[in-house]
Amino acid sequence: MSSTGTGRTPFIAGNWKMNKTVSEAEEFIAALLPRVSSVQGVDVAVCPPYLDLQAMVDSTRGSRVQVYAQNMHHAADGAFTGEVSAPMLRELGVYGTIVGHSERRQYFGETDETVARRTEAALEHGLHVVACVGETEAEREAGQTEDVLRRQVSVLSADDSMVIAYEPVWAIGTGKTATPEIAQEAHAFIKSLIDAPVLYGGSVNLENAAELCALPDIDGALVGGASLHVESFAAICRAASHS
Ligand code: PGA
């Protein structure tokens, strides 16, 4: 089995964000499954919007593709209009959830504290977690990258069911991928803070995925835009399997 420099099986997760209706998601997964069924040595997940989750759990059953939510509230139930809880995701058969994506932090007021609470609750309820961290462009330019990462990671505790995703905010959806040197340096720093696999995220595409995933401290990728197209997502999964 191929593996990353750390001996871990690479993990490729597609974060669809607010894209794909149920019928579009079904069409996508029907095309994806045959394309990744024989790709060895890589774990694959899709992270669709809530409304697609049931259909994705049903259509990936028995396949190698795991289904993650994009977010989750820390309370099991209660007066939290618009939110979804871990027991709701578990009952559907969802495998895990992203927590603390920078778009949640930027547009929906999530803080290190809410990210920590959501992560804890997800793990307690048996969900796997992709916990996102990453600095903004202004923070990087001000030389604060390590301080920001230290603060964001300090609220998380290592857990076998949790991976970190390092997503520099300036690289998300901008086409500006971190150079391999920047990514490797940040990943090594995060691993000095917490014992967890670390995925890279931010403009990953089929041109740069193989090089990024081959770096010693990069254990896979959280892919946004390029995960929406079945050919590019399948190609990224294949590239990671050779890393
Ligand atoms: P991107 O998004 O690949 O479109 O940059 C990554 C993410 O936000 O997870």
Side-chain angles (χ1 to χ4, degrees):
M1 184 190 276
S2 60
S3 61
T4 60
T6 53
R8 289 172 163 133
T9 302
F11 178 34
I12 302 295
N15 173 14
W16 295 358
K17 309 192 179 187
M18 196 174 71
N19 291 288
K20 296 193 190 298
T21 63
V22 174
S23 58
E24 288 165 348
E26 281 175 333
E27 202 179 306
F28 176 95
I29 212 76
L32 180 70
L33 294 182
R35 284 171 174 76
V36 296
S37 63
S38 61
V39 183
Q40 298 296 312
V42 59
D43 293 329
V44 179
V46 291
C47 315
Y50 290 133
L51 288 178
D52 297 349
L53 287 173
Q54 180 73 73
M56 292 304 92
V57 167
D58 290 345
S59 48
T60 54
R61 196 164 285 125
S63 83
R64 55 154 343 138
V65 176
Q66 298 160 351
V67 178
Y68 278 61
Q70 297 174 10
N71 178 35
M72 189 210 84
H73 195 271
H74 53 80
D77 50 38
F80 301 104
T81 302
E83 292 285 318
V84 163
S85 73
M88 295 172 184
L89 296 174
R90 287 284 291 170
E91 191 178 288
L92 284 191
V94 168
Y95 189 79
T97 184
I98 299 173
V99 174
H101 190 277
S102 65
E103 286 150 17
R104 300 291 319 166
R105 296 177 190 255
Q106 206 176 336
Y107 306 131
F108 301 100
E110 291 214 30
T111 62
D112 293 334
E113 198 213 319
T114 64
V115 171
R117 292 179 75 184
R118 286 171 193 234
T119 300
E120 242 167 71
L123 294 169
E124 256 167 40
H125 284 91
L127 290 164
H128 287 68
V129 171
V130 176
C132 301
V133 299
E135 80 287 0
T136 63
E137 188 152 37
E139 288 163 342
R140 175 161 284 273
E141 278 169 5
Q144 294 166 349
T145 299
E146 292 199 348
D147 291 342
V148 170
L149 294 178
R150 190 180 291 108
R151 195 198 72 223
Q152 292 175 335
V153 171
S154 69
V155 299
L156 304 168
S157 308
D159 189 290
D160 286 347
S161 298
M162 182 183 73
V163 305
I164 306 280
Y166 169 61
E167 299 207 307
V169 179
W170 47 270
I172 294 179
T174 58
K176 283 199 227 168
T177 323
T179 61
E181 293 73 30
I182 289 181
Q184 168 57 31
E185 195 185 353
H187 282 234
F189 179 68
I190 291 167
K191 287 184 179 187
S192 75
L193 303 172
I194 190 165
D195 181 18
V198 183
L199 313 181
Y200 171 77
S203 298
V204 173
N205 57 39
L206 56 94
E207 278 84 42
N208 58 30
E211 185 181 18
L212 286 163
C213 289
L215 293 168
D217 288 311
I218 296 192
D219 302 306
L222 183 56
V223 186
S227 76
L228 295 174
H229 307 287
V230 76
E231 294 300 350
S232 57
F233 189 59
I236 291 168
C237 295
R238 283 195 295 275
S241 84
H242 299 133
S243 64

